[in-house]
Amino acid sequence: MPKQTQLGLSESQFLLGSEGERQVWLKPFGDADQRLCDATNFVIRGEGYATQDEAARDGERWRDVITRAFARVHLAADFGDRQPVNMLTKAGEDWLSGLMGRPVLAHLSGVTVFEDQPDLRFVAAPSLEGRKRPSEERNRLVFTQAARLHDPLDRSERVAFDLYSSSFFQPSADSRLLMLTMAVETLLVRSPRSDAARAHVTAMMEATKSQRRPHRLRAGLSTKESQRPAG
């Protein structure tokens, strides 16, 4: 969930469903004692399934349940479909399991089916951020040439650079791609449309206008007569 939104649930776990041995919980990811209203990362945890296929199907169903519930209360959720894939291999899981003295599995986005084991732990790869710094020689050369040329920008170039710069402050790859696409579109030189294209658009506009229904006006009137002052 985005950091600026929270669930209105004060308990540390919420029972979504219970049927026989099956139980499905909504829990915070990581800190088991954290309240749901204080968490931004969650996991749907289900247990009591007889087969792997049965658990996988029910996992997808509960994902849809959460999606509908979040949409109903106007909350957003990122299920990780566009996030980078966890690079922890099976050998890495085995190595960490031996190191920690308990079973370890990689934390993956989406539905994960696993055999229930006591003291099982999930490990998520740390987030990595890269930095770019041009060489000092290149920086000096570029700034010197820009100051000497003093080439003014037109309005579209200023808007394009503003969109390009803003893309680096976006939290997701989707929003960055959208803003970079807008920056490129701002610099495009639009050529005149062909006569056939203009005629097609004009025909659609005329067809739309011809299908418009006449507007109706309804005014509410009071049947109470106005009181006139005596005399």
Side-chain angles (χ1 to χ4, degrees), residues 128-136 138-139 142 164 168:
L128 301 177
E129 294 183 357
R131 294 189 179 184
K132 177 183 179 182
R133 184 173 67 181
S135 66
E136 182 176 355
R138 177 169 174 77
N139 277 330
V142 169
Y164 166 78
F168 288 91

Side-chain angles (χ1 to χ4, degrees), residues 30 97 100 102-107 117-123:
S97 297
M100 300 178 63
R102 61 185 61 174
V104 171
L105 292 178
H107 172 64
Q117 305 176 62
D119 209 18
L120 177 65
R121 293 292 185 269
F122 287 88
V123 176

Side-chain angles (χ1 to χ4, degrees), residues 127-188:
S127 59
L128 301 177
E129 294 183 357
R131 294 189 179 184
K132 177 183 179 182
R133 184 173 67 181
S135 66
E136 182 176 355
E137 179 183 359
R138 177 169 174 77
N139 277 330
R140 292 182 182 278
L141 178 62
V142 169
F143 282 122
T144 300
Q145 290 181 343
R148 185 175 68 252
L149 292 175
H150 192 62
D151 189 15
L153 300 176
D154 59 29
R155 185 172 181 274
S156 62
E157 290 173 329
R158 290 185 177 181
V159 173
F161 182 76
D162 183 55
L163 292 169
Y164 166 78
S165 299
S166 299
S167 70
F168 288 91
F169 296 91
Q170 301 305 309
S172 69
D174 288 343
S175 57
R176 287 195 294 273
L177 176 60
L178 178 61
M179 298 201 74
L180 289 172
T181 303
M182 293 168 60
V184 173
E185 290 178 342
T186 304
L187 297 175
L188 295 179

Side-chain angles (χ1 to χ4, degrees), residues 199-219:
H200 178 67
V201 172
T202 301
M204 288 193 299
M205 294 173 61
E206 294 299 330
T208 302
K209 292 179 181 179
S210 65
Q211 294 298 321
R212 289 180 179 175
R213 296 180 179 179
H215 295 285
R216 296 181 180 180
L217 176 64
R218 180 180 182 274

Side-chain angles (χ1 to χ4, degrees), residues 22-59:
R22 298 184 189 176
Q23 289 188 325
V24 180
W25 301 83
L26 178 64
K27 302 181 178 183
F29 176 72
D31 187 357
D33 297 327
Q34 187 180 28
R35 299 188 306 171
L36 291 169
C37 59
D38 297 328
T40 55
N41 295 318
F42 304 92
V43 61
I44 305 171
R45 179 71 177 264
E47 58 185 29
Y49 296 94
T51 66
Q52 182 175 353
D53 292 341
E54 185 181 31
R57 287 194 302 268
D58 212 39

